[in-house]
Amino acid sequence: LEGVASHLQHAEGEAYLAEIREELCAGGYLPREQRKEQFSKTSGPREFVIKGYRVWVGRSSKQNDELVRKAAREDYWLHARDRPGSHVIVKNPQQREISIEVLQQAAQLAAYYSKGRDAMKVPVSYTRVKYLRKGSRPGLVMVTQEEGTLIVVPKGGL
């Protein structure tokens, strides 16, 4: 529920709220409603470009799952440590080592779109997607090998 609360803080419009409501219904926290009218499908994850790398930030637990599922094994995954928040994926199509500057800016996004948004500094874990395993709940992953932690100031705009 803390993860859902974090996504609610960053929801941008009714379509995103509808997606979060659906997530709560699927988890048994809210009763399902009969709806005559469905909201239009929400747009995809937030997208950024950092020094030529495409960066995706999930908007809900369901989107976080989808981001990890669609990511390549050599893409980088970042998440605020020990806090609910968005998964951040740095696409790595050439499968090369990503610079620390790119990882730091992506970590700032992970911190900003988490419960740590108002903190002075937030630890953010990162690893390649190949070191993740799907958890039992939406948005939950298990890290089998963490490649590092960055301490960053949360920043939403780049």
Side-chain angles (χ1 to χ4, degrees):
L1 289 176
E2 284 183 17
V4 171
S6 175
H7 291 303
L8 277 172
Q9 288 178 339
H10 307 294
E12 298 167 348
E14 292 201 27
Y16 300 110
L17 293 174
E19 186 175 314
I20 292 169
R21 180 173 177 55
E22 178 60 33
E23 185 178 317
L24 289 170
C25 290
Y29 294 106
L30 293 175
R32 290 197 181 271
E33 292 184 344
Q34 292 291 348
R35 292 183 153 203
K36 293 180 183 174
E37 181 182 326
Q38 280 286 53
F39 287 105
S40 64
K41 184 166 171 56
T42 61
S43 63
R46 291 174 182 90
E47 291 188 48
F48 300 87
V49 176
I50 302 172
K51 297 190 182 214
Y53 288 93
R54 293 184 66 204
V55 178
W56 294 344
V57 180
R59 296 179 188 265
S60 66
S61 296
K62 184 178 172 183
Q63 258 189 17
N64 285 344
D65 271 355
E66 195 172 312
L67 282 178
V68 171
R69 188 173 48 80
K70 289 182 176 181
R73 291 175 48 83
E74 293 298 319
D75 292 346
Y76 279 79
W77 171 89
L78 298 95
H79 192 279
R81 187 174 243 198
D82 300 325
R83 295 169 192 204
S86 295
H87 292 213
V88 174
I89 299 290
V90 179
K91 299 301 291 175
N92 188 14
Q94 277 84 32
Q95 299 183 4
R96 60 183 185 224
E97 181 136 352
I98 294 179
S99 73
I100 194 68
E101 294 87 11
V102 172
L103 289 174
Q104 284 177 326
Q105 287 184 17
Q108 288 177 317
L109 291 170
Y112 184 79
Y113 291 106
S114 76
K115 278 280 199 185
R117 173 183 247 177
D118 297 324
M120 295 298 281
K121 295 201 177 204
V122 176
V124 175
S125 298
Y126 69 91
T127 193
R128 282 172 284 171
V129 171
K130 68 182 176 183
Y131 297 124
L132 300 177
R133 298 291 171 256
K134 173 69 182 97
S136 58
R137 296 186 326 254
L140 183 66
V141 295
M142 292 171 278
V143 179
T144 60
Q145 180 180 330
E146 183 178 289
E147 294 188 57
T149 300
L150 299 167
I151 309 296
V152 296
V153 175
K155 190 187 274 187
L158 299 176

